[in-house]
């Protein structure tokens, strides 16, 4: 939106981290928040985000009455119910957008039942949003998966994001990849922290190695960035690792050894016996 454009009115349904981050970013770019709806009007999260945005807390059914765009940021299982509640009071020409990574536009079908004068879409930020404020700062420059109305891409560009279209049939696989890239990586680093503690080494000592490994992947791609005993076929060192690990850490380690072998390509003779 350029500086000569009128403010766009938007409402938020689901005042969690992702929805609040997107709402704060829109407000910072001149959009006008007009309603916030949560589980209940009096829920602390609903009241807190409404106060922060300077918008009234309302029932879900009333959230779209004054909004050009309604952001639905509920849990996936609640999107369709929220859509059905919103539909009757939506303004003609309104756009309803959900932020789910795994859900398709079919979750918003209840909006379109009997309302041919509104549009739907989805926008999933491909970014970690650990809090609303951190998330708001991280949106600009991040990629995002979009679907539905072309207006969704305009919203993404307004937020400084890099939108790409995603086929509905690929959506769950895409979201699985996103979870591996973020959640599983964090879980893996949790193992690093535990093993470092067993060795009496501070976790912080491994952070430069972690950062440069990610940088190597960025520069070279995963396969070329792989180093270490699997890449060089050093089965003896791998066996020593397995022997030295606590029993409850071995399954995670050996699973990643197999994935590293897969990335390295080829079948290293004896590796499976080593990790068995």
């Amino acid at each position: 939106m350029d500086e000569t454009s009128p403010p766009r009115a938007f409402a938020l349904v689901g005042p969690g981290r992702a929805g609040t981050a997107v709402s704060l970013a829109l407000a910072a770019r001149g959009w006008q928040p007009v309603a916030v709806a949560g589980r209940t009007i009096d829920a602390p999260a609903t009241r807190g985000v409404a106060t922060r945005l300077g918008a009234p807390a309302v029932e879900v059914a009333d959230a779209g009455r004054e909004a050009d765009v309604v952001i639905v940021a509920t849990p996936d299982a609640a999107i369709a119910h929220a859509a059905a509640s919103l539909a009757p009071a939506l303004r003609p020409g309104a756009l309803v957008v959900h932020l789910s990574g795994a859900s398709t536009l079919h979750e918003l079908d209840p909006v379109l039942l009997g309302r041919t004068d509104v549009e739907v879409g989805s926008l999933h930020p491909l970014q970690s949003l650990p809090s609303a404020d951190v998330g708001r700062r991280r949106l600009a420059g991040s990629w995002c998966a979009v679907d539905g109305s072309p207006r969704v891409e305009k919203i993404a560009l307004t937020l400084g994001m890099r939108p790409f279209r995603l086929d509905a049939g690929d959506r769950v696989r895409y979201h699985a990849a996103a979870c591996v890239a973020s959640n599983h990586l964090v879980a893996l680093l949790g193992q690093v922290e535990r093993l470092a503690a067993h060795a009496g080494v501070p976790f912080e000592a491994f952070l430069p190695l972690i950062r440069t490994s990610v940088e190597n992947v960025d520069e070279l791609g995963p396969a070329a960035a792989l180093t270490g005993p699997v890449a060089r076929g050093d089965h003896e060192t791998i066996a020593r690792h397995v022997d030295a690990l606590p029993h409850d850490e071995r399954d995670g380690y050996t699973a990643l050894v197999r994935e590293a072998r897969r990335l390295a390509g080829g079948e290293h003779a004896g590796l499976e016996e080593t990790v068995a």
Side-chain angles (χ1 to χ4, degrees):
M1 185 179 69
D2 62 42
E3 294 185 3
T4 63
S5 300
R8 301 299 301 273
F10 74 94
L12 171 63
V13 177
R17 289 176 293 184
T20 305
V22 170
S23 296
L24 291 172
L26 286 172
R29 286 158 177 79
W31 286 51
Q32 179 62 47
V34 295
V36 175
R39 293 182 182 275
T40 67
I41 289 180
D42 294 324
T46 306
R47 288 292 183 186
V49 174
T51 298
R52 185 163 187 190
L53 291 174
V58 302
E59 299 286 356
V60 173
D62 297 320
R65 291 187 184 278
E66 303 298 328
D68 300 305
V69 175
V70 181
I71 305 295
V72 178
T74 64
D76 289 10
I79 294 174
H81 180 72
S85 299
L86 283 167
L90 288 171
R91 300 171 72 174
L95 170 65
V96 180
V97 181
H98 76 60
L99 302 185
S100 170
S103 298
T104 68
L105 290 183
H106 287 304
E107 297 300 320
L108 296 177
D109 283 349
V111 170
L112 301 178
L113 291 175
R115 290 301 304 267
T116 58
D117 59 341
V118 299
E119 294 183 289
V120 297
S122 65
L123 186 157
H124 177 252
L126 192 52
Q127 181 57 273
S128 175
L129 309 174
S131 72
D133 288 301
V134 172
R136 175 185 64 81
R137 294 193 297 270
R138 288 180 176 174
L139 289 176
S142 298
W143 293 77
C144 62
V146 300
D147 199 2
S149 169
R151 292 162 62 190
V152 179
E153 287 171 295
K154 293 181 180 179
I155 292 173
L157 294 173
T158 294
L159 296 174
M161 304 183 76
R162 305 171 67 180
F164 60 92
R165 287 270 166 181
L166 185 67
D167 290 338
D170 294 327
R171 197 157 189 102
V172 175
R173 284 186 290 271
Y174 151 79
H175 193 250
C179 287
V180 173
S182 180
N183 312 145
H184 294 194
L185 177 58
V186 172
L188 178 62
L189 297 182
Q191 185 179 42
V192 173
E193 184 178 46
R194 293 191 300 272
L195 295 180
H198 280 297
V201 180
F203 174 65
E204 291 76 11
F206 292 86
L207 291 176
L209 173 62
I210 294 164
R211 293 190 181 101
T212 54
S213 295
V214 173
E215 291 171 2
N216 291 343
V217 171
D218 183 28
E219 294 177 11
L220 305 173
L226 184 67
T227 62
V230 174
R232 61 180 180 262
D234 184 355
H235 302 166
E236 181 180 348
T237 295
I238 294 169
R240 292 171 64 198
H241 288 173
V242 174
D243 288 341
L245 291 175
H247 284 281
D248 61 355
E249 299 289 358
R250 291 180 180 179
D251 286 348
Y253 178 87
T254 56
L256 269 297
V257 166
R258 292 185 176 97
E259 289 303 312
R261 182 190 66 180
R262 181 179 180 183
L263 183 61
E267 296 294 327
H268 295 305
L271 181 58
E272 194 61 36
E273 290 77 7
T274 299
V275 300

